[in-house]
Amino acid sequence: GDSVTQMEGPVTLSEEAFLTINCTYTATGYPSLFWYVQYPGEGLQLLLKATKADDKGSNKGFEATYRKETTSFHLEKGSVQVSDSAVYFCALSPIKAAGNKLTFGGGTRVLVKP
Amino acid sequence: ETGVTQSPTHLIKTRGQQVTLRCSSQSGHNTVSWYQQALGQGPQFIFQYYREEENGRGNFPPRFSGLQFPNYSSELNVNALELDDSALYLCASTFLQGMDVTGELFFGEGSRLTVL
């Protein structure tokens, strides 16, 4: 079945540091790929998405590129802020499926220190 | 625009009991999904409701059941609670049209269930 593997946290960084969270997936065909973020005390929010190979999703300074050849969707941000402290989830949605059944990775907690 | 709201936010049950969790979808959405998020793990898909019918189900036993109402709100029912059912239950809504699978899911803050 479909699966998503992401690097375990916690990841602790200083403000303005470069952030990378690795995500790889296993799925048949060409799934859509997502990054969701869960800020403390809030619900999951879509951060960015990509629906086909070589697409780059971007939002709030975060970027991720859909790499079919390596089945990866790594999340990057060039200069993190304290407000980026959150749990980040990589997820996929299978193509040609009725609805939005998302398969999530285990999440990566990121802590940015001033 | 009102977002996805869930109730109750926290509840405690004992093993063997039954629980009902409620979700009001975001205005304009016609589809509701439920996810179970165990502590320290990613959410797992339970099922989805579209036009008041179950439209996809994850690897959960039949004692997990649901309903969607004409106003697109939804309930998740869990019978014969087990200790492992302790988790955060997330509701998410979206607008689905046909086979579009790329619509954004909007999540509520969840209902935290503790089974003793």
Side-chain angles (χ1 to χ4, degrees):
Chain A
D2 297 343
S3 67
V4 175
T5 302
Q6 58 183 109
M7 59 189 289
E8 291 189 15
V11 174
T12 303
L13 303 164
S14 297
E15 217 168 11
E16 299 183 1
F18 184 86
L19 171 67
T20 298
I21 304 176
N22 291 337
C23 170
T24 57
Y25 68 90
T26 301
T28 54
Y30 299 87
S32 294
L33 301 174
F34 306 83
W35 276 100
Y36 276 81
V37 58
Q38 192 170 36
Y39 297 105
E42 298 184 17
L44 279 167
Q45 302 174 24
L46 178 65
L47 181 58
L48 52 85
K49 71 178 183 183
T51 58
K52 61 182 186 294
D54 299 325
D55 264 3
K56 178 184 283 188
S58 62
N59 186 26
K60 299 182 180 180
F62 289 89
E63 291 184 342
T65 301
Y66 190 139
R67 301 288 188 198
K68 178 179 178 297
E69 62 276 13
T70 55
T71 62
S72 65
F73 192 55
H74 305 322
L75 182 68
E76 296 181 337
K77 186 173 184 181
S79 178
V80 294
Q81 305 300 314
V82 172
S83 57
D84 294 324
S85 297
V87 182
Y88 294 82
F89 293 92
C90 185
L92 68 82
S93 179
I95 201 68
K96 295 185 180 179
N100 293 65
K101 175 190 172 182
L102 289 177
T103 298
F104 285 88
T108 303
R109 182 175 300 276
V110 173
L111 177 61
V112 180
K113 296 185 174 181
Chain B
E1 185 178 81
T2 305
V4 178
T5 58
Q6 295 185 240
S7 62
T9 54
H10 295 82
L11 70 167
I12 300 173
K13 293 285 188 178
T14 57
R15 195 170 48 182
Q17 285 189 312
Q18 179 266 345
V19 68
T20 298
L21 307 177
R22 295 177 176 82
C23 172
S24 293
S25 60
Q26 185 162 315
S27 176
H29 289 179
N30 61 5
T31 302
V32 173
S33 304
W34 287 92
Y35 288 78
Q36 181 194 66
Q37 186 178 12
L39 195 61
Q41 297 182 23
Q44 290 194 14
F45 176 75
I46 302 175
F47 43 55
Q48 178 175 269
Y49 279 81
Y50 173 62
R51 293 183 175 178
E52 302 178 50
E53 292 191 0
E54 189 178 289
N55 178 36
R57 187 179 183 94
N59 189 25
F60 281 82
R63 60 188 185 85
F64 285 78
S65 64
L67 285 172
Q68 186 183 29
F69 301 100
N71 66 354
Y72 304 118
S73 64
S74 177
E75 286 182 356
L76 165 65
N77 298 290
V78 187
N79 294 322
L81 284 167
E82 300 177 0
L83 298 180
D84 285 348
D85 295 333
S86 295
L88 181 67
Y89 289 85
L90 298 170
C91 173
S93 72
T94 191
F95 179 79
L96 274 187
Q97 194 165 31
M99 294 294 282
D100 177 14
V101 296
T102 59
E104 179 178 351
L105 281 181
F106 290 82
F107 284 84
E109 294 184 23
S111 294
R112 185 165 297 283
L113 171 65
T114 301
V115 182
L116 301 177

